[in-house]
Amino acid sequence: MPFPAHDPAATPSPVLDERIARLRELAAAEPRLEGVLLYGSWTVGEADEHSDIEAYVFVADAHADGFDGRAFIERLAPLKLAYTNMYGILAVVFDDLMRGEFHFEPATSGIAKIADWAGMVHLPEPGAAVLLDRTGALTRAAGELADFRPPEPEPTAQQLTDELTNWTLMLAHVLARGETARSHALLHTVVAPHQLQLCRLLRGSTRHWLTPSRALEADLPAAERARYAAATAPAERHAVAEAARASWAWSRELAEEAAARWGTRVPRRLHEEIGALLARAGAGAGATADGRQDAR
């Protein structure tokens, strides 16, 4: 599916547009910077009033160790929060509650790594995404991401089939142990994203591949959305058990559809055993007579 052309003038977020323009000005006036590259919703024409500002900031190698990224970003707008998150990225919250994520990297090695983004990052208009490029290297690297590369169907479907098998088995064991909160987390944060990716692959809707729940309401048909909804639950044991069984039924249907289309392998005997384990785990997850959750 092709991405829409990006028209900054049509972006329904003038505040974000102004902040990006300000970032361009600040970067151009900072001689220690060699390049700035935006990524995220603005670069693919999907930004709105709820969008973040996300960028890679490439610092000249000689200044990379001593560059104060937070001080630089504070010149964009006042900050309510700034910290280095678990991925080593400077995460900020501006005074108007806009979020921001900024990667500060040495220019030479950082720009070279952009080649590894192929298939994961798409920049339909690299010229709009590059806010600063003093050497031309960043523009060349970003240009390699202009064409959208959808995932290869057969190997991707096989990977996802295997992932769903493995993680749902773990979910079944954890549920049988009685760890409701952990089962709930596995179902929603590990199993569901793989499910949605396999569903998107089968439906030819891979545009939001890395965040498969994004724009789900617009990207997938109502029947698929209903299957996803049935595989979600509040963090109550009987509800998680029911959702886990619904989730596994959907996973198996998706895996069989992929096998019929692309010839991927399905470990059917193992799938049956996982289903039986989920059934046994769910058998002890009923509610009490007055409707309260059995706390066993």
Side-chain angles (χ1 to χ4, degrees):
M1 179 185 298
F3 280 65
H6 179 249
D7 179 6
T11 301
S13 178
V15 174
L16 180 58
D17 291 343
E18 292 170 6
R19 194 145 295 161
I20 288 170
R22 174 65 174 159
L23 177 58
R24 188 192 302 271
E25 294 172 0
L26 289 173
E30 174 49 76
R32 294 173 294 175
L33 298 185
E34 288 193 8
V36 175
L37 179 69
L38 290 179
Y39 66 97
S41 58
W42 194 88
T43 62
V44 294
E46 295 185 349
D48 59 22
E49 67 272 21
H50 304 292
S51 295
D52 311 329
I53 178 171
E54 303 159 307
Y56 276 80
V57 181
F58 299 104
V59 185
D61 293 356
H63 301 286
D65 289 340
F67 191 80
D68 189 339
R70 173 173 177 160
F72 176 73
I73 297 303
E74 283 181 322
R75 294 159 63 189
L76 269 180
L79 301 178
K80 288 183 177 291
L81 176 69
Y83 73 104
T84 301
N85 69 15
M86 66 183 74
Y87 304 108
I89 303 165
L90 177 64
V92 305
V93 175
F94 294 101
D95 61 342
D96 55 5
L97 300 186
M98 181 185 293
R99 295 179 60 256
E101 293 185 354
F102 299 91
H103 308 244
F104 288 87
E105 298 196 1
T108 300
S109 61
I111 293 174
K113 287 189 291 188
I114 293 176
D116 298 332
W117 298 359
M120 295 185 292
V121 176
H122 176 223
L123 299 176
E125 294 190 32
V130 176
L131 302 187
L132 173 72
D133 183 10
R134 297 198 193 278
T135 67
L138 182 56
T139 298
R140 290 191 295 271
E144 296 298 316
L145 305 177
D147 294 327
F148 178 60
R149 301 182 187 180
E152 289 291 330
E154 182 179 338
T156 305
Q158 187 65 67
Q159 178 76 27
L160 291 170
T161 296
D162 293 342
E163 295 282 8
L164 285 168
T165 302
N166 176 57
W167 289 112
T168 304
L169 176 57
M170 181 177 182
L171 168 62
H173 281 302
V174 172
L175 186 61
R177 185 184 292 145
E179 294 185 78
T180 300
R182 189 179 179 199
S183 301
H184 182 267
L186 279 168
L187 183 65
H188 293 85
T189 65
V190 180
V191 174
H194 292 313
Q195 262 180 338
L196 289 176
Q197 284 189 323
L198 184 53
C199 183
R200 283 183 175 278
L201 192 68
L202 287 162
R203 303 296 168 258
S205 180
T206 56
R207 176 175 171 181
H208 298 108
W209 182 252
L210 293 182
T211 309
S213 60
R214 178 166 184 161
L216 181 70
E217 296 79 5
D219 288 355
L220 292 179
E224 306 287 9
R225 300 198 304 270
R227 298 302 296 272
Y228 171 74
T232 63
E236 300 170 355
R237 191 177 176 202
H238 73 283
V240 172
E242 182 178 348
R245 291 192 297 272
S247 169
W248 184 229
W250 190 31
S251 291
R252 294 184 71 178
E253 289 177 23
L254 293 172
E256 292 292 352
E257 185 178 346
R261 185 178 306 182
W262 296 304
T264 48
R265 302 179 307 280
V266 178
R268 293 182 177 86
R269 178 64 181 274
L270 176 56
H271 280 197
E272 291 174 2
E273 292 172 332
I274 293 172
L277 181 56
L278 281 171
R280 291 195 300 274
T288 58
D290 63 358
R292 291 181 291 107
Q293 177 60 36
D294 188 344
R296 286 179 296 169

